[in-house]
Amino acid sequence: MTDHVTEDDHRWLRQSFDLARQARENGDRPFGALIVTADGRPLFEGMNNVYTAKDPTGHAELNILRGIGNHLTPEELVGATIYASGEPCTMCSAAIVWSGIGRVVYGLSIPRQQREFDNAPTRTRISVRCAEVVGASNKPIPVIGPVLEDEIVAVWKANPPPK
């Protein structure tokens, strides 16, 4: 496992940005995520569907983590990376820890998202960062980001989140 960013990381992260764009086109908030194995095979991809599924837990990361244990061994999970267009929230970060995935790479940081896009007074604010949640576990994993943040900000500006 590496804690530096590679060209492959950029490629997979941009794929999560495409998923974020699709989520927004579907009427949801622009978040996408995918899981890639250690040998570079994309296994699962998903997007936010909180509004369309009327499910407050329909975050991109949770949507791809559900049932993953039926498809990967614990050894394969440790070698996998989850790529997320946005920094995983506290709920998703905890799910990532419980899943056994070995690495996280994300695009848009929570502070920048909140600063630029979440200015509605009713919007929930999150102050606990992904690395803090993961770091509090007994098996901390690398959390890398923000990466290509300006690119995902451009996606968000072109496809604003629903209010």
Side-chain angles (χ1 to χ4, degrees):
M1 217 88 48
T2 178
D3 58 357
H4 70 278
V5 180
T6 67
E7 284 305 312
D8 282 341
D9 290 331
H10 285 181
R11 179 173 51 119
W12 296 122
L13 199 53
R14 286 184 175 115
Q15 188 166 330
S16 78
F17 296 174
D18 289 340
L19 293 164
R21 190 177 293 109
Q22 290 174 40
R24 182 60 197 107
E25 289 169 1
N26 292 342
D28 287 295
R29 292 177 58 79
F31 290 102
L34 65 147
I35 296 171
V36 178
T37 63
D39 61 357
R41 289 180 297 122
L43 288 184
F44 302 95
E45 62 180 39
M47 51 195 118
N48 183 291
N49 67 354
V50 167
Y51 296 125
T52 54
K54 296 179 176 56
D55 176 0
T57 68
H59 293 201
E61 299 90 341
L62 285 185
N63 287 336
I64 60 174
L65 288 172
R66 289 185 181 106
I68 193 171
N70 294 326
H71 301 281
L72 295 175
T73 67
E75 295 77 24
E76 290 170 317
L77 285 166
V78 167
T81 299
I82 188 164
Y83 293 93
S85 61
E87 180 175 355
C89 71
T90 307
M91 173 180 67
C92 293
S93 297
I96 290 167
V97 168
W98 285 106
S99 77
I101 288 194
R103 184 169 175 256
V104 176
V105 179
Y106 69 86
L108 180 62
S109 69
I110 289 171
R112 187 156 178 197
Q113 174 194 329
Q114 290 177 341
R115 186 173 60 250
E116 294 206 33
F117 303 105
D118 287 353
N119 54 9
T122 58
R123 182 79 66 212
T124 301
R125 297 278 188 208
I126 297 174
S127 60
V128 179
R129 306 286 303 277
C130 181
E132 293 175 74
V133 174
V134 170
S137 77
N138 66 332
K139 295 181 182 177
I141 60 173
V143 175
I144 301 155
V147 178
L148 304 174
E149 192 170 37
D150 290 337
E151 286 185 32
I152 189 60
V153 165
V155 169
W156 275 57
K157 287 186 176 179
N159 305 278
K163 297 294 180 200

